[in-house]
Amino acid sequence: FLSLVAEFCCGFFVILILGNFWFLAVLYLLWLYLDWETPCAGGRRSQWVRSWTVWKYFREYFPIHLIKTSELNPNHNYLLGFHPHGVLVAGAFGNFCTDPTFKNLFPGLTPYLHIMPIWFGCPFFREYIMSAGMVSASKESVSYVLNNEGGGHASIIVIGGAEESLNAHPGSLTLNILKRKGFIKMALKHGAHLVPVFSFGENELFKQVANPKGSWLRNVQEKLQKIMGFALPLFHARGVFQYSFGLIPYRQPIHTVVGSPIPVRQNLNPTTEEIDQLHALYLQKLKKLFEEHKSNYGIPADKSLIFE
């Protein structure tokens, strides 16, 4: 979805260059140069964009629900780990980049969804995603958000990243997280409380072409992901007037459950052992969150999360 919109924006920029409006393209390039660091400095959100009526219909299409299980004191900063990535990451966008769902449930907190830095190099597209509350997933960007002395900031990071999208098959419960500890280190360095978030239904929106590990397709996808920085899952769903084939996601409910915060004391120079201990605690809390709520959303009792 992001790729399609980004391609449209880049195409429009090329038209400006090749057409009679090349001077507008030059002015925009100057703006891009001067504004380059903004995605790493809190972005530039627009309440007007986040409140567009279209987002209401977007949330109602699936529908998308945000489930609160515990209070989040706005006097603290938080790092929310979002799972799973899925193909569309619809739960993360619908709940954290549109209003008013999040601010009604967690008043006093401002959510920042961190996405891959590559998206902010796309002309015009970068302006839109920043207006929706998205910022770079770079270390500098996460630090900027979590450095807010008065609290009230919430960094949302899709922990599994692009690699995990290749596991986004209906019914899949595999999370790429065992080697991902950078977010733990950031939480410790800034004293940000950790909050596990699991989005039930995220992997049910599309059917992905079979790509088991070791297959030629998976090998090609993984190589491309390392080169380009983002994955290319081959997926399909429904069309506009038929349900057999298309790129429109299936109408499957998404329930994004926000867990209880894990208190974190600031440690500017955490050791490897301290990072590993907090990482293990986070995995424990994430698994507990999943087990407590899976029966509410159609997950069989014998199914559990798989950490890779």
Side-chain angles (χ1 to χ4, degrees), residues 143-163:
S143 291
Y144 185 93
V145 173
L146 297 181
N147 264 338
N148 190 40
E149 294 184 0
H153 282 189
S155 282
I156 297 96
I157 301 178
V158 184
I159 305 300
E163 182 182 359

Side-chain angles (χ1 to χ4, degrees), residues 17 93 120 169 189 292:
I17 295 176
F93 177 81
F120 295 97
H169 297 272
K189 290 183 68 174
E292 289 179 345

Side-chain angles (χ1 to χ4, degrees), residues 21-32:
F21 302 97
W22 58 267
F23 62 94
L24 293 177
V26 173
L27 289 175
Y28 184 79
L29 286 176
L30 177 60
W31 162 257
L32 194 62

Side-chain angles (χ1 to χ4, degrees), residues 250-267:
Y250 293 115
R251 297 193 69 175
Q252 296 289 338
I254 297 173
H255 294 86
T256 303
V257 184
V258 180
S260 301
I262 303 170
V264 177
R265 180 176 297 179
Q266 187 174 25
N267 184 347

Side-chain angles (χ1 to χ4, degrees), residues 269-286:
N269 295 293
T271 64
T272 300
E273 182 180 1
E274 289 169 332
I275 293 173
D276 288 343
Q277 288 178 349
L278 184 55
H279 186 261
L281 177 60
Y282 179 85
L283 294 183
Q284 177 185 332
K285 295 296 185 180
L286 174 60

Side-chain angles (χ1 to χ4, degrees), residues 64-255:
I64 296 174
H65 304 279
L66 187 64
I67 313 301
K68 176 181 179 179
T69 64
S70 178
E71 295 292 338
L72 297 183
N73 189 331
N75 293 326
H76 298 296
N77 292 317
Y78 298 89
L79 195 159
L80 280 62
F82 184 92
H83 313 270
H85 184 288
V87 171
L88 188 62
V89 205
F93 177 81
N95 287 311
F96 305 121
C97 295
T98 70
D99 286 328
T101 307
F102 184 85
K103 70 178 183 180
N104 285 347
L105 287 179
F106 301 100
L109 283 182
T110 302
Y112 295 82
L113 179 60
H114 296 270
I115 64 174
M116 295 174 57
I118 189 174
W119 296 116
F120 295 97
C122 180
F124 301 115
F125 181 66
R126 70 188 296 274
E127 317 305 333
Y128 158 65
I129 56 180
M130 278 197 290
S131 67
M134 293 182 235
V135 291
S136 173
S138 66
K139 293 180 180 179
E140 295 79 10
S141 178
V142 177
S143 291
Y144 185 93
V145 173
L146 297 181
N147 264 338
N148 190 40
E149 294 184 0
H153 282 189
S155 282
I156 297 96
I157 301 178
V158 184
I159 305 300
E163 182 182 359
E164 193 173 88
S165 68
L166 300 178
N167 290 329
H169 297 272
S172 174
L173 296 173
T174 300
L175 304 181
N176 292 71
I177 192 173
L178 291 182
K179 296 181 180 179
R180 297 179 181 267
K181 301 179 181 180
F183 73 105
I184 298 292
K185 186 175 182 179
M186 294 300 292
L188 282 166
K189 290 183 68 174
H190 296 283
H193 295 352
L194 279 167
V195 183
V197 178
F198 195 87
S199 195
F200 292 89
E202 201 74 47
N203 285 338
E204 274 55 56
L205 305 185
F206 297 93
K207 292 180 180 178
Q208 190 173 171
V209 175
N211 60 342
K213 288 193 174 183
S215 66
W216 69 269
L217 175 58
R218 185 61 167 257
N219 290 335
V220 170
Q221 289 174 320
E222 290 177 345
K223 288 180 180 178
L224 289 175
Q225 187 254 320
K226 291 179 180 179
I227 295 173
M228 299 184 298
F230 57 89
L232 292 173
L234 298 179
F235 59 88
H236 67 88
R238 54 162 291 187
V240 178
F241 301 110
Q242 45 77 30
Y243 290 82
S244 58
F245 189 82
L247 295 178
I248 299 176
Y250 293 115
R251 297 193 69 175
Q252 296 289 338
I254 297 173
H255 294 86

